[in-house]
């Protein structure tokens, strides 16, 4: 697209995303307007065409993702591309409540890997003096950065993606199925395929709530969320049997209902069983 089209697409995407997008600088002097518009207008895809994704393309995108920033060049992130049908089926049963995942053409699992760091300490004869929470945190963040980079690269080529955090609901079983050794753990799955339909743009919280200058500021956050709630529409309300129907159901009600139910309470025990100290 030309510059004017790119600018229009970017402005449209940002206006759909943020109620206060008018505060943002958007002009034709910016470069890569089409790329910015694609990133601002992305959405998670949960309906895919049946054709597979070329394995060579997945490897290429994985290489791009693994080119992303990594804490101190430690490179504590790995990607498992799941191609075995039986393994896919077993993983699928763990997330069967996410019914849309049954039609996913390609499934990847992004992992945090603090194992290699410990291995090279053994090989080089140096003590591992940072056996505390930061070791887990750094690997988890590295895995998340790689996943996000894969998403951007894949969607630049017209593929659709959707992260699957539900794999962590059964982190131990996922770990066993994938043969993950100590100090390697699943961060999230990622569905990849050719979209069957355009993904909607989900409005985000206003920039006044999530973008800060110099110091954290919560002025007006309650009012801003109350204004934001009606912009979010959900196909179904969570846990109606416990909380009833809410005629003003919006983002804050959906998210508080989600976290009013225990979820992944055993993840800390799983991480410790993987050998991490979380001091």
């Amino acid at each position: 697209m030309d510059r004017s089209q790119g600018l229009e697409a970017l402005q449209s995407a940002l206006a759909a995303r943020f109620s206060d997008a008018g505060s943002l600088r958007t002009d034709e002097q910016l470069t890569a307007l089409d790329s910015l518009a694609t990133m601002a207008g992305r959405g998670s895809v949960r309906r895919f065409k049946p054709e597979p994704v070329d394995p060579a393309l997945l490897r290429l995108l994985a290489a791009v993702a693994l080119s992303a920033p990594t804490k101190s060049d430690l490179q504590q992130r790995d990607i498992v591309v799941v191609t075995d049908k039986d393994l896919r089926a077993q993983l699928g049963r763990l997330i069967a409540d996410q019914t849309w995942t049954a039609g996913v053409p390609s499934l990847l699992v992004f992992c945090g890997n603090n194992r290699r760091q410990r291995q090279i300490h053994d090989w080089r004869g140096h003590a591992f003096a940072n056996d505390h929470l930061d070791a887990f945190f750094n690997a988890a963040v590295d895995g998340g950065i790689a996943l996000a980079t894969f998403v951007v690269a894949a969607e630049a080529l017209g593929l659709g993606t959707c992260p699957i955090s539900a794999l962590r609901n059964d982190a131990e079983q996922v770990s066993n199925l994938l043969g993950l050794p100590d100090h390697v753990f699943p961060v999230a799955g990622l569905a990849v395929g050719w979209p069957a339909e355009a993904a909607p743009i989900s409005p985000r919280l206003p920039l006044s709530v999530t973008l800060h200058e110099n110091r954290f500021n919560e002025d007006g956050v309650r009012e801003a969320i109350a204004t934001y709630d009606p912009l979010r529409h959900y196909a179904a309300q969570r846990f109606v049997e416990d909380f009833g129907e809410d005629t003003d159901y919006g983002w804050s009600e959906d998210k508080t209902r989600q976290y009013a139910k225990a979820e992944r309470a055993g993840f800390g025990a799983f991480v410790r069983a993987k050998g991490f100290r979380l001091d």
Side-chain angles (χ1 to χ4, degrees):
M1 63 180 75
D2 61 28
R3 280 185 175 272
S4 61
Q5 291 174 320
L7 178 61
E8 182 179 354
L10 176 59
Q11 291 173 332
S12 177
L14 290 172
R17 193 74 81 183
F18 302 103
S19 60
D20 51 357
S23 63
L24 297 170
R25 170 199 169 186
T26 54
D27 60 58
E28 291 188 30
Q29 301 308 310
L30 297 172
T31 60
L33 286 166
D34 53 343
S35 296
L36 294 178
T38 298
M39 294 172 69
R42 71 156 308 276
S44 292
V45 172
R46 294 181 177 86
R47 290 190 61 217
F48 299 92
K49 295 178 180 178
E51 59 255 38
V53 182
D54 185 344
L57 179 55
L58 291 175
R59 286 183 61 83
L60 173 63
L61 291 170
V64 172
L66 294 170
S67 302
T70 165
K71 187 267 189 271
S72 299
D73 195 26
L74 296 177
Q75 304 182 57
Q76 297 186 103
R77 67 286 180 274
D78 290 11
I79 304 171
V80 180
V81 183
V82 182
T83 58
D84 182 85
K85 290 183 179 180
D86 289 340
L87 180 56
R88 272 292 303 268
Q90 292 179 79
L91 290 170
R93 285 192 285 272
L94 297 179
I95 51 175
D97 60 326
Q98 307 280 318
T99 55
W100 64 271
T101 60
V104 171
S106 296
L107 175 66
L108 286 69
V109 180
F110 287 74
C111 301
N113 182 350
N114 182 238
R115 179 180 178 82
R116 270 193 303 270
Q117 184 66 30
R118 295 169 188 261
Q119 287 176 317
I120 60 176
H121 278 257
D122 287 342
W123 301 337
R124 304 295 298 184
H126 297 301
F128 185 79
N130 288 279
D131 196 5
H132 45 65
L133 175 61
D134 206 45
F136 170 77
F137 183 78
N138 286 333
V141 171
D142 261 18
I145 291 172
L147 185 150
T149 304
F150 191 104
V151 165
V152 172
E155 293 178 357
L157 298 181
L159 286 162
T161 67
C162 184
I164 309 174
S165 63
L167 280 177
R168 291 201 308 279
N169 292 353
D170 293 286
E172 183 176 4
Q173 292 188 64
V174 171
S175 180
N176 292 338
L177 287 170
L178 299 180
L180 304 183
D182 283 353
H183 301 108
V184 181
F185 57 93
V187 172
L190 184 68
V192 184
W194 300 106
E197 60 187 13
I201 298 177
S202 296
R204 296 291 194 235
L205 286 165
L207 295 168
S208 64
V209 172
T210 56
L211 181 62
H212 310 269
E213 184 172 351
N214 295 324
R215 295 180 63 83
F216 193 88
N217 185 353
E218 288 186 322
D219 291 347
V221 65
R222 184 168 184 170
E223 295 79 5
I225 290 176
T227 301
Y228 170 72
D229 272 336
L231 302 178
R232 298 304 305 272
H233 304 286
Y234 297 88
Q237 298 189 13
R238 294 179 192 264
F239 310 124
V240 173
E241 65 279 8
D242 294 317
F243 302 109
E245 293 278 353
D246 187 339
T247 56
D248 297 320
Y249 195 88
W251 177 82
S252 62
E253 181 64 21
D254 185 79
K255 298 310 152 198
T256 51
R257 288 189 182 193
Q258 179 179 355
Y259 266 57
K261 296 283 189 175
E263 186 178 46
R264 297 175 201 146
F267 189 66
F270 162 77
V271 170
R272 290 184 178 88
K274 279 291 184 182
F276 287 100
R277 295 169 57 101
L278 303 182
D279 301 340

